[in-house]
Every structure is written in structure tokens, then in C-alpha cells.
Amino acid sequence: MPDAPTSAPDARPDLRVAILGCGTVGTQVVRLLTEQARDLGARIGRGLRVTGVLVRDVEAPRDPSLPRELLTTDAAALVADADLVVELLGGTTTARDLVLASLRAGASVVTANKALLATAGPELYAAADAAGVDLLFEAAVAGAVPVVRGVRESLAGDRVERVLGIVNGTTNYILDEMTTRGLDFDVALAQAQELGYAEADPTADVEGHDAAAKAAILASLAFHTRVALGDVACEGITAVTADDIAAAREAGGVVKLLAVAERVSSGDQGAEAVSVRVNPVILPAAHPLAGVGGAYNAVVVETEAAGRLMFYGQGAGGAPTASAVLGDVVAALRHRAHGGRAPAESAHAALPLATPADVVARLQVRLRVDDRPGVLAHVAQAVAEHGVSIESVHQRVAGDGEAVLAVVTHEADEAALHRTVEALRTTEGVRETVSAYRVERA
């Protein structure tokens, strides 16, 4: 039977694992834990068994491979009898209560819940520290991509300067389809929903909220500073059009939704601050993230000593995410079996959040303008008046006395760039500001 004791490498009782939630990922985690219990036990150095799986309805249809006898609705009893709790419920209310209860009861916790960590992380870290147990969350950021462990442990001796990545497979799939097949946003979104890449309500993905939660986690780890979900400037992809995609292609780039966290200099004294944002950007074709297609995720970490590193792989789906969960399960149970702990929260730097005046960027601003002499001069003057200079201009005649200008600026602070875009809306000869996208360098 799946919950019968495995043949343990020693005579001690099996370690007890409770699973909270049995959706796509939860089902895969239970399957792998029960099918591979002996092998996982050998890696841990002690046997393990799944004691139960929390569900809302034990009679609901389930994957036939799932042992029905493990299903329960009694969360309190399940948590009270566990060495390790794997939280896969999602949400931030019930999940928070059960994770806290687990930690306070002395159980280690593995979670894939990025929203929970981005909103209640410090409280959970404190509870884990007080109980002397682990709180692990590799699967919360980029599915199977081991970027959390890479930043938190492998780069613990280095100084991280910048982290940027594609951390939402749904939006990357949509933008990739718009780029490679010329689809409009609505068509690409519907296709993503049909394939199971997007939920029936895709708001969290397409508005950037999912990526923002992951950006908060990565920034907290990279810069030893508490960064909450509300600290992340967030813009989704719902306004991205086929024309925007085509304009990026004409400029030799692609549009991607990026999560970016970076150290910046703040104020006259040059003190350090942290900037964290999620927004669509134009990436030059030579950038390592430009070729990341489909629903894949990739994160680039730029450090002082190691230089630029890239983590790439499947960022969603039951099996890939379960792989990351099981990696944490093995690590946490090794600590239970042999002693030791995973790294605790590191927030000693406590860097302040950057202001728009601290952050520099380049923009591509697309304008519909009158096709007549003098308009470009008016545009250049409006840009210069706000301390911004122009790197390049591309003009396309659209007919009927209209042209489209694509103006790329040199780097300037965000505050100045924002004022420039606002000024261009009322500049003589400008009919419409079509779009304004950050432009990354390769």
C-alpha cells in the first residue's frame, strides 16, 4: 500500500509527509512520492511515507493513480501528525493559517505558493526560525528552474547586482505566438486557455501579478532585503498590440514581459536602493532572454564575481513543478533525519526602495504624427526640455498625411522619461502617443 512503511535505510520510523492540496501539481507530487518512496528514502537516508492529502471533497473525481485512502478533509489532524507539510493549496488565507500551524507544530514546510511568500513571507520565516525548522519554496518562482537555490545558496558568497527574467509561462507563450505567428493578443490568449497554459480567469498572469510576486521573492533573496508584493511596480501585457510587436521586430528586438530587480544608486550620496518591477520590454535579438519561447521560463542573474548566469527550463505544469517540490522535500527530510537546516531569511541589508529618480532606463516611444516639415524638430525639443536625449529615430509614412515615429532615447531616469512621454502627448504635430516601452541592452 502507498502509505505502508518503506524499507528504511535505518531502523527509525518513517518520516511523515502531509500534502495540502491535490490539484495538478499536488497529484503529481503524491504520485512521485508514493511511486519513488524507496529511492527517495535512500537519498534521504531514512524512509518516508505520505500520511494524507488534504482535499475539499474526498468524493470528487480524481486521477485514478491517486490512492483514495490518503484523501482527507481534516487539515488539523493531518498537520499535527507530520514531519513535513507540503503546501500546494494556493491563495493567501487558508494556506497562511495552515503553514503557520505546521511550522508552530514543529513541521518543516515546502510550498509552491508565491503569493503567500510575497505577502506573508517575514511572518512565515519568523515562525520557521522560532521552531528551528525549514521553509523551502523552490517551486514558487520558476517551476522546475532551480533559481531560488541558485541565488540563495550557490551565490551566497557573491554580490548580486541585477536579476531579470521571464517568470510567467502564460504571458511568454502569448507574446511568443504574437511574435512568431502574428496573432492578436485576444487570439493568442484564447489559444493559451485552450492548451491549458492560461486559466479561465487569466488576470493574475496577463496583468503581471503572478510575475510580480515572483519578482518580490527573487529581490528579497538577491539583495537580503524584505520586498513585498506591494513594492513591485507592475504592468501587464493586455495593452500589447500586433503593431507593437511589429515595431519591436523592425528595431531588431522582441517584446517580453520581464521581472527585473536591481541595485541602484539613490540620492546625491549614492546610497544603495532596490528597484523591482514587472513590465513588457523590448529585448534586442542578441539578449539571452530574447530566444526564450513558448511557456518556458528563464532568469538571468548578474553578479560581481561570477558575471552573468542564466537559469532556463519549464516554468509551469504538474510534473516540472513537482520536480522542484520534491527537491525541497528531499532537502527538508535530510535535515529531519540527520540534523541541519536550510538557510533562514536573510534581510540584514534592509535596503530602501528606489524612487523613479533613482532608476535609469531607455525608452522606445511610438508616435502618430503629422507628415509635414518641422514635426520632428518639435518632438526633439520636447524630449530635450526634460533632460532626455534621442539615440535613434525611425519614421514610417502611414498615408493620409500621417507618419509613425519610433523614437529611442538614451538612458535617463524614470521620472524624466515619464515627464517626456507626458509632454509628447501635447506636442505640436503629435496626434497620438501609441506606446512607450523600455528597451534593454544586449
Side-chain angles (χ1 to χ4, degrees), residues 242-253 255 282 364 366 396 406 435:
D243 283 345
D244 294 333
I245 298 289
R249 185 185 301 112
E250 288 178 7
V255 177
I282 297 175
Q364 183 202 71
R366 291 176 58 232
R396 175 173 57 83
S435 63

Side-chain angles (χ1 to χ4, degrees), residues 275-300:
S275 169
V276 191
R277 64 184 181 274
V278 168
N279 55 284
V281 306
I282 297 175
L283 283 176
H287 195 282
L289 294 175
V292 177
Y296 277 76
N297 282 192
V299 178
V300 170

Side-chain angles (χ1 to χ4, degrees), residues 299-352:
V299 178
V300 170
V301 182
E302 298 174 359
T303 73
E304 185 177 71
R308 177 185 274 183
L309 306 171
M310 181 168 170
F311 300 81
Y312 170 82
Q314 295 189 62
T321 305
S323 171
V325 170
L326 261 66
D328 280 348
V329 166
V330 169
L333 291 182
R334 278 177 178 162
H335 294 149
R336 301 290 290 201
H338 309 294
R341 283 189 60 196
E345 181 193 22
S346 174
H348 63 87
L351 298 176

Side-chain angles (χ1 to χ4, degrees), residues 34-410:
T34 53
E35 289 180 359
Q36 301 179 16
R38 290 181 184 276
D39 185 46
L40 292 172
R43 298 178 202 177
I44 293 163
R46 187 166 164 187
L48 67 96
R49 68 184 168 95
V50 177
T51 58
V53 182
L54 181 68
V55 296
R56 291 177 181 171
D57 180 4
V58 296
E59 301 301 329
R62 305 279 175 190
D63 188 301
S65 67
L66 189 69
R68 308 285 299 193
E69 64 272 20
L70 292 177
L71 304 183
T72 180
T73 58
D74 191 345
L78 193 58
V79 165
D81 187 39
D83 296 298
L84 173 67
V85 173
V86 180
E87 185 276 308
L88 301 168
L89 294 168
T92 57
T93 304
T94 300
R96 171 190 169 275
D97 293 342
L98 290 176
V99 168
L100 281 173
S102 303
L103 295 169
R104 289 167 180 167
S108 293
V109 170
V110 170
T111 180
N113 193 334
K114 61 267 182 182
L116 177 64
L117 291 164
T119 55
E123 181 182 22
L124 303 182
Y125 299 136
D129 194 50
V133 296
D134 289 343
L135 173 64
L136 298 173
F137 46 91
E138 183 64 68
V141 172
V145 183
V147 65
V148 168
R149 188 169 285 108
V151 171
R152 184 162 71 164
E153 298 182 37
S154 300
L155 295 173
D158 207 340
R159 173 186 166 90
V160 177
E161 302 289 353
R162 195 166 190 245
V163 180
L164 65 161
I166 296 165
V167 295
N168 182 273
T170 300
T171 51
N172 198 55
Y173 175 84
I174 291 169
L175 292 174
D176 192 43
E177 289 293 290
M178 293 176 71
T179 300
T180 59
R181 300 182 58 197
L183 302 183
D184 287 328
F185 172 82
D186 291 340
V187 176
L189 170 58
Q191 187 170 288
Q193 289 171 318
E194 289 173 8
L195 293 171
Y197 293 141
E199 301 288 343
D201 179 2
T203 303
D205 292 323
V206 299
E207 294 293 353
H209 305 317
D210 174 85
K214 296 169 181 177
I217 295 169
L218 284 173
S220 299
L221 295 174
F223 306 123
H224 308 284
T225 295
R226 287 180 174 175
V227 178
L229 179 58
D231 298 327
V232 183
C234 184
E235 178 188 351
I237 65 168
T238 54
V240 178
T241 67
D243 283 345
D244 294 333
I245 298 289
R249 185 185 301 112
E250 288 178 7
V254 295
V255 177
K256 296 289 187 181
L257 184 73
L258 288 194
V260 181
E262 60 187 342
R263 295 179 191 265
V264 298
S265 295
S266 177
D268 295 336
Q269 303 302 314
E272 286 191 338
V274 173
S275 169
V276 191
R277 64 184 181 274
V278 168
N279 55 284
V281 306
I282 297 175
L283 283 176
H287 195 282
L289 294 175
V292 177
Y296 277 76
N297 282 192
V299 178
V300 170
V301 182
E302 298 174 359
T303 73
E304 185 177 71
R308 177 185 274 183
L309 306 171
M310 181 168 170
F311 300 81
Y312 170 82
Q314 295 189 62
T321 305
S323 171
V325 170
L326 261 66
D328 280 348
V329 166
V330 169
L333 291 182
R334 278 177 178 162
H335 294 149
R336 301 290 290 201
H338 309 294
R341 283 189 60 196
E345 181 193 22
S346 174
H348 63 87
L351 298 176
L353 291 173
T355 69
D358 300 327
V359 182
V360 297
R362 297 161 68 222
L363 283 188
Q364 183 202 71
V365 186
R366 291 176 58 232
L367 307 167
R368 291 175 55 243
V369 302
D370 295 335
D371 185 17
R372 59 177 174 81
V375 171
L376 182 56
H378 292 310
V379 169
Q381 181 179 357
V383 173
E385 284 176 352
H386 293 89
V388 178
S389 62
I390 294 175
E391 181 176 296
S392 66
V393 177
H394 180 269
Q395 178 172 317
R396 175 173 57 83
V397 176
D400 295 326
E402 181 178 286
V404 177
L405 289 182
V407 178
V408 177
T409 73
H410 284 289

